[in-house]
DNA sequence: TTGAAAGCGCTACCAA
DNA sequence: TTGGTAGCGCTTTCAA
């Protein structure tokens, strides 16, 4: 059997309370006693029983992280940033993949509630009806990452997607494009929408009009990017083809590039393309994809930090302060938008 | 405060033991009493306290899953297969990413030990000195997935990598290649080694000799694939260039394709390429990459199933049966090995 | 600075 | 079929 705190106490010739005190540094213990206890722990190979500890303290020391897709490098980097921060404090993490489905998000949240996590980081699948209210209802501290759900006052760590959309649009404008289109993301996703707003603002700031015919919608997948380009070409006369395209994420951007190739449309010569996220694939495709990148790892770490601060505030019965941190993004120039090419 | 089982008992006018019995269906309860209890649970919104339950039962109902890289689609699919099986039984999972580093694997294992998981699925980083012995030492049931560590008798769920290597080699042979090279994976990784053995056997079964000059080594990354092709070209006279290449995983295969393009070497005309894993990228690259795929999702599910059976056997104090299940693989023909092209 | 003991919420044994 | 109750291993008051 695993040794308990009683075994340690006996071996060290002290009471269990004393052992607890040296383990948790929760009260001063004489140096000599401390040494005896430490040695006993060592010799018995004692490890505190997680369940008993959690039962007493009403805290699991586990934190949940919910993302739409763990195999998406954007999210796996975010996860790594958050995990590194949690592990620093000896806290464990539970990673959940919603696969972009609200029902799966709901199930994941139920699991986290059941596991009685001390807090959760969530990138919600949709802007409404996601698992966040359930967590709030159960009084579990939550921080939103990457996407900010509407209708809840809560702390959130975001990228400046609107600014990113603007940067992308201005880049194409500076490059000389005059018919710039946009491939939008899924309807309920705030990041996708904000990037679009940035595009609109980018055009308007130069006195240009948004043209409905140059706007298509996808769902963030590779295939939807291919379809979007097809639609845009089909919908316009040759004289009105877009010469530049801002695409709401890299995966769709890669789809656009592949479709352009199939259609013998030269990128960037006849069509310049810019994406968002800076995933690995963007460097591997030919031509390489110009993109806008956010400091994903830092965003994860910051979100974890804020969550820990919230938990700490709760413990002290202090007031929760809702913060909103926005990271700025930067342009990564590659071949797909090269000037004067083609 | 959260209601406890005592609150439920009071509300229903029965004893806590009875409540426990209806919740866990651990003993027959009269239909009428059951109804009263269920209603009390409902009206109070009672949920069993995980910590108390775990403390009493000495079981966490949590299972660990350790993989080298969650953003690698091969592993994320494996994870999904395993998770779906665990969730089916209402069990929770903890996913750990070792980033291919043995030290991280060790830290992950420590976390799982601390969390007192009921069992673990592990794709070990190296064939030796991985976290598996630590888990075995702590008496935590383990099943190896994808890679089988040497020196431990344990149940394992694997793909037939040797057969896969053979299929790949024969495919190139049938296609007419006569100088077939191989790009090996990292030294300690069993899957990579087995694929190489399959290649050797494939050649020898046709009475062909393995040529040292046609063999390079990479580390499973994109860049190492590029480097490998460079080396192979540099090491041989033009008359002895390989006309076909079996590459130990798709990511390196994509690297080979990109490098070939840079060198103006036509794929598949001058060089046919076959990879392993069937990752998404292989379908997106130009030319698309021929590959060997394994039933990854099923492998994850099977591994979870076997782990659960081991846990069950332990509970019944039955003997653990070590199984070894090998899934066969299949060729996915794409452009990079097309016949008569170029 | 240390010890005794209550109790966190649950399950399972023993009685009835 | 049900109830009483001990105890899982820990932390934390209260007293010494």
């Amino acid at each position: 059997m695993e040794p308990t705190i009683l075994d340690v106490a006996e071996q060290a010739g002290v009471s269990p309370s004393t052992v607890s005190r040296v383990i948790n540094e929760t009260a001063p213990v004489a140096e000599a006693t401390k040494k005896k206890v430490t040695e006993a722990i060592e010799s018995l190979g004692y490890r505190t029983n997680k369940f008993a500890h959690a039962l007493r303290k009403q805290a699991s020391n586990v934190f949940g992280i919910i993302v739409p897709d763990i195999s998406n490098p954007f999210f796996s980097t975010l996860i790594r940033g958050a995990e590194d921060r949690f592990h620093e404090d000896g806290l464990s993490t539970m990673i959940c993949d919603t696969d972009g489905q609200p029902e799966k998000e709901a199930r994941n949240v139920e699991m986290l509630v059941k596991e009685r996590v001390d807090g959760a980081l969530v990138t919600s699948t949709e802007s409404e009806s996601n698992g966040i209210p359930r967590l709030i209802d159960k009084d579990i501290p939550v921080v939103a990452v990457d996407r900010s759900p509407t209708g809840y006052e809560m702390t959130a760590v975001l990228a400046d997607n609107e600014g990113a959309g603007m940067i992308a649009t201005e880049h194409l404008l500076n490059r000389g494009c005059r018919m710039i289109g946009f491939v939008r993301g899924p309807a309920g996703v705030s990041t996708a929408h904000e990037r679009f707003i940035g595009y609109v603002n980018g055009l308007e700031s130069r006195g240009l009009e948004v043209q409905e015919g140059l706007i298509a919608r996808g769902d963030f997948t590779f295939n939807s990017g291919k379809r979007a380009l097809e639609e845009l070409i089909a919908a316009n006369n040759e004289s009105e083809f877009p010469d530049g395209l801002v695409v709401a994420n890299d995966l769709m951007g890669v789809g656009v590039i592949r479709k352009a190739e199939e259609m013998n449309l030269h990128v960037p010569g006849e069509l310049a393309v810019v994406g968002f996220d800076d995933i690995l694939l963007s460097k591997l495709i030919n031509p390489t994809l110009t993109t806008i990148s956010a400091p994903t790892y830092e965003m994860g770490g910051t979100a974890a930090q804020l969550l820990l601060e919230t938990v700490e505030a709760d413990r002290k019965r202090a007031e929760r302060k809702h913060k909103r941190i926005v990271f700025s993004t930067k342009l990564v120039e590659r071949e797909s938008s090269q000037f004067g090419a083609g």
Side-chain angles (χ1 to χ4, degrees), chain A:
Chain A
M1 273 307 296
E2 285 259 306
T4 74
I5 208 169
L6 258 90
D7 299 317
V8 176
E10 193 181 1
Q11 170 108 353
V14 299
S15 77
S17 355
T18 304
V19 177
S20 172
R21 287 193 266 256
V22 343
I23 292 171
N24 302 300
E25 299 183 320
T26 179
V29 175
E31 210 48 57
T33 349
K34 194 181 287 182
K35 183 150 177 279
K36 281 191 296 183
V37 171
T38 317
E39 283 170 1
I41 288 175
E42 200 72 28
S43 84
L44 292 173
Y46 169 80
R47 307 183 109 264
T48 117
N49 182 310
K50 201 235 147 77
F51 307 136
H53 181 97
L55 177 58
R56 237 350 271 253
K57 302 277 287 202
Q58 304 282 32
S60 60
N61 285 351
V62 176
F63 286 80
I65 304 177
I66 299 184
V67 296
D69 181 9
I70 52 172
S71 68
N72 180 323
F74 179 85
F75 294 113
S76 61
T77 306
L78 199 74
I79 290 172
R80 199 157 297 179
E83 273 195 327
D84 284 355
R85 178 64 192 84
F86 286 124
H87 291 344
E88 213 172 86
D89 286 12
L91 303 164
S92 300
T93 48
M94 237 163 179
I95 302 166
C96 305
D97 189 333
T98 66
D99 205 11
Q101 299 167 26
E103 320 82 60
K104 272 208 177 182
E105 178 176 323
R107 260 185 289 151
N108 283 328
V109 165
E110 282 320 308
M111 179 176 103
L112 296 183
V113 169
K114 188 174 78 186
E115 293 299 324
R116 290 185 138 75
V117 294
D118 293 345
L121 254 35
V122 3
T123 300
S124 43
T125 299
E126 296 193 325
S127 58
E128 293 180 52
S129 94
N130 53 53
I132 290 182
R134 171 75 172 148
L135 289 165
I136 292 175
D137 175 57
K138 279 284 159 188
D139 227 50
I140 296 174
V142 197
V143 167
V145 202
D146 184 48
R147 301 176 192 171
S148 170
T150 54
Y152 301 99
E153 201 196 323
M154 60 185 308
T155 118
V157 175
L158 309 164
D160 178 12
N161 286 295
E162 206 176 303
M166 193 129 175
I167 291 171
T169 309
E170 283 176 347
H171 171 63
L172 291 182
L173 249 17
N174 294 340
R175 192 200 163 280
C177 295
R178 300 170 57 241
M179 297 284 284
I180 302 178
F182 194 95
V183 178
R184 306 188 64 170
V189 177
S190 64
T191 49
H193 183 67
E194 290 159 17
R195 286 165 189 174
F196 177 67
I197 298 298
Y199 156 79
V200 172
N201 291 344
L203 289 183
E204 291 181 347
S205 72
R206 298 274 183 112
L208 296 171
E209 241 172 49
V210 176
Q211 299 185 40
E212 276 307 322
L214 293 179
I215 295 167
R217 192 184 277 286
D219 61 8
F220 272 176
T221 63
F222 170 76
N223 283 323
S224 74
K226 292 182 82 166
R227 249 177 286 127
L229 180 58
E230 219 162 10
E231 283 170 26
L232 285 175
I233 296 300
N236 291 284
N237 299 321
E238 183 145 11
S239 62
E240 314 216 303
F241 277 179
D243 56 2
L245 217 44
V246 180
V247 187
N249 78 343
D250 278 2
L251 208 48
M252 292 197 297
V254 171
V256 164
I257 288 178
R258 285 311 303 272
K259 189 72 202 178
E261 189 184 10
E262 286 173 22
M263 295 175 119
N264 286 319
L265 201 62
H266 187 259
V267 175
E270 296 168 272
L271 180 72
V273 181
V274 183
F276 297 86
D277 288 349
D278 194 16
I279 66 178
L280 176 68
L281 183 52
S282 305
K283 283 178 265 203
L284 308 186
I285 194 84
N286 182 16
T288 53
L289 176 63
T290 293
T291 188
I292 312 285
S293 82
T296 325
Y297 182 87
E298 288 74 18
M299 285 171 64
T302 304
Q305 176 63 33
L306 292 179
L307 184 56
L308 290 174
E309 284 171 13
T310 307
V311 171
E312 196 49 38
D314 278 15
R315 250 165 223 161
K316 289 183 185 153
R317 278 121 198 284
E319 209 191 330
R320 281 192 199 170
K321 278 174 275 185
H322 293 300
K323 290 188 192 172
R324 194 182 169 84
I325 296 193
V326 179
F327 281 82
S328 56
T329 60
K330 68 169 200 286
L331 178 72
V332 181
E333 283 193 62
R334 299 216 181 88
E335 294 163 3
S336 71
S337 68
Q338 227 161 56
F339 191 65

